[in-house]
Amino acid sequence: MHQDLRYAIRTLLKNRGFTLIAVLTLALGIGANTAIFSVVNAVLLRPLPYQDPSRLYFLTTDRQDSKAPTSLENFEAWKARTSVFEDMAIYYRNTGWSRVTLTGIDDPEQISGGFVSANLFPLLGIAPRIGRAFTAEEESRRERVVLLSDALWKRRFSASPDAIGRVLQIDSADFQVIGVMPATFQFPARDTQFWAPISTNRYWLDRPAWDNVHSSGFFLRWNVIARLKPGVDPRRAQSEMTAIAKDLERQDPQRNHGLGAWLTPVRVELNASARTGLLLMMGAVSFVLLIACSNVANLMLARGARREREIAIRTALGAGRIRLVRQLLTESSLLGILSGGVGLLLALFGVKALIAFGPRDIPRLEQAGIDAGMLAFTLLLSIGAA
């Protein structure tokens, strides 16, 4: 094999034009596949950064909508009556109503925030990277404390630990910074920049009387997430929640007409066009690699015709069919490995471009990158191309 490798290197160096064209052709296909797969891996395949995410479920009032909100009264009834969940947390629904004006440091800016119950972070199994989370006592006292996202911490405080204890103004109210969440934490949406006690939300404990003037969104303002107890079958949990929802509808048919209580597994939420777009791009770059391999194979066949005399001499000297195939396969493998290295460099720039210019509503897009898994993927592509 060492002899085959040395000969392959000499052969490729002797035909530098062919080598350059073949490497660049394959590198484009391998680099495009690596870049797109790194995005697909970060967005769709990588496990959610929560403790035992398979037991996390959204509880919604619409079977078709994993973010369908509910009322505060229904949440309290669900939590009081259910026996299948370890815990149940509530947060203000992720809509434009979550946008606030941030002042106090640097220029004012509009950002999206999360108003959540204190038990959300233990329920998800997530702790702040620095500082602490707020407590149930602080929530009940409606204390204005806040946790910052990693991006907001870096942008407003230059990633300084001295941010803890500082004061930010959120919609003209003073909030004290008590912690910073990990960079991978994106809940309930990618653009959530801070988390404050739900009791500090302007609509907390606001229980408007039902009327026919406002839409249902005026009354259904809250989202719910829960963690199943170990060993509890999701079908049993769904059956129990359906019974509770029907009972609530009998008690108050006007407010709860047509509202269910559906379990939806917590997963990365993508709209249909974004998911389809990612899969189509993955399929498209796969065909690009196949076309690249086809073109290089044709080049090698044309080049092989010129090596007929060399092959004949090697056969006359005793080289068998397996020996000749091994030599040619070594040359192909060397081409594949070289192309993979160049493709990896192209993928680095490709991933940065996808993050910079990709749709802003795709969660975890900024987590795409070249890691050990992507190196292994590129190596497999290179071997496959060979």
Side-chain angles (χ1 to χ4, degrees), residues 1-13 307 314 323 326-338:
M1 288 301 296
H2 181 259
Q3 183 183 16
D4 288 345
L5 184 61
R6 284 192 309 161
Y7 185 77
I9 293 173
R10 291 201 309 269
T11 301
L12 294 180
L13 288 176
R307 298 178 66 181
R314 291 166 67 88
R323 180 69 180 80
R326 192 180 75 184
Q327 175 62 54
L328 297 175
L329 186 59
T330 301
E331 295 177 18
S332 294
S333 300
L334 185 58
L335 270 180
I337 297 299
L338 289 173

Side-chain angles (χ1 to χ4, degrees), residues 85 168 185 211 265 364 373:
F85 294 104
L168 285 176
F185 186 69
D211 57 45
R364 303 202 294 178

Side-chain angles (χ1 to χ4, degrees), residues 16 20 82 89 102 162 172 191 242 252 260 264 275 320 329 364:
R16 294 179 183 177
L20 181 62
T82 186
L102 184 67
D162 296 335
S172 302
D191 60 348
T242 299
D252 191 346
T264 303
R275 183 180 295 273
L329 186 59
R364 303 202 294 178

Side-chain angles (χ1 to χ4, degrees), residues 93-383:
R93 68 180 187 176
N94 178 37
T95 67
W97 295 357
S98 296
R99 294 195 68 80
V100 300
T101 301
L102 184 67
T103 55
I105 297 177
D106 296 331
D107 297 328
E109 64 174 314
Q110 286 277 325
I111 62 173
S112 292
F115 294 90
V116 304
S117 57
N119 64 333
L120 174 73
F121 305 108
L123 184 146
L124 296 176
I126 300 294
R129 61 177 297 179
I130 63 171
R132 64 175 180 85
F134 48 82
T135 64
E137 291 74 20
E138 288 173 322
E139 178 188 321
S140 63
R141 294 194 298 264
R142 306 189 73 175
E143 292 190 16
R144 292 191 174 98
V145 291
V146 66
L147 291 159
L148 306 181
S149 70
D150 181 78
L152 183 60
W153 176 51
K154 291 176 179 176
R155 189 169 69 250
R156 284 277 175 167
F157 297 99
S158 302
S160 171
D162 296 335
I164 306 301
R166 300 283 295 276
V167 173
L168 285 176
Q169 288 186 331
I170 299 175
D171 281 347
S172 302
D174 290 341
F175 281 74
Q176 184 181 38
V177 178
I178 61 171
V180 177
M181 297 303 292
T184 56
F185 186 69
Q186 299 179 358
F187 190 93
R190 179 186 177 189
D191 60 348
T192 302
Q193 297 289 289
F194 71 83
W195 295 268
I198 195 168
S199 55
T200 61
N201 184 278
R202 74 188 80 171
Y203 298 109
W204 183 246
L205 298 183
D206 180 14
R207 301 173 187 244
W210 192 272
D211 57 45
N212 295 321
V213 177
H214 299 90
S215 67
S216 61
F218 182 74
F219 308 97
L220 308 179
R221 297 170 172 170
W222 314 97
N223 285 117
V224 178
I225 184 172
R227 179 178 289 275
L228 274 181
K229 290 180 178 179
V232 173
D233 191 296
R235 290 173 293 183
R236 175 193 161 193
Q238 181 60 73
S239 177
E240 180 177 281
M241 293 305 299
T242 299
I244 294 173
K246 289 181 178 179
D247 189 43
L248 292 174
E249 185 174 6
R250 283 194 296 269
Q251 294 176 12
D252 191 346
Q254 183 183 33
R255 186 181 291 266
N256 295 309
H257 177 69
L259 299 183
W262 301 99
L263 275 70
T264 303
V266 172
R267 57 179 179 265
V268 174
E269 294 295 331
L270 283 178
N271 58 51
S273 61
R275 183 180 295 273
T276 302
L278 284 176
L279 297 179
L280 283 176
M281 288 178 67
M282 193 71 232
V285 295
S286 298
F287 279 108
V288 168
L289 180 58
L290 287 175
I291 293 170
C293 289
S294 176
N295 289 334
V296 174
N298 285 329
L299 288 174
M300 294 190 73
L301 284 173
R303 178 168 163 265
R306 296 198 303 269
R307 298 178 66 181
E308 184 176 359
R309 183 169 180 271
E310 171 200 338
I311 300 299
I313 293 174
R314 291 166 67 88
T315 303
L317 292 174
R321 184 185 299 272
I322 294 177
R323 180 69 180 80
L324 293 173
V325 169
R326 192 180 75 184
Q327 175 62 54
L328 297 175
L329 186 59
T330 301
E331 295 177 18
S332 294
S333 300
L334 185 58
L335 270 180
I337 297 299
L338 289 173
S339 302
V342 177
L344 196 60
L345 293 176
L346 296 176
L348 288 172
F349 294 102
V351 169
K352 291 181 180 179
L354 289 169
I355 294 174
F357 301 107
R360 307 314 302 169
D361 61 341
I362 296 183
R364 303 202 294 178
L365 177 62
E366 72 284 352
Q367 296 177 23
I370 306 301
D371 53 18
M374 290 301 99
L375 291 175
F377 178 78
T378 304
L379 180 60
L380 288 175
L381 280 183
S382 302
I383 295 173

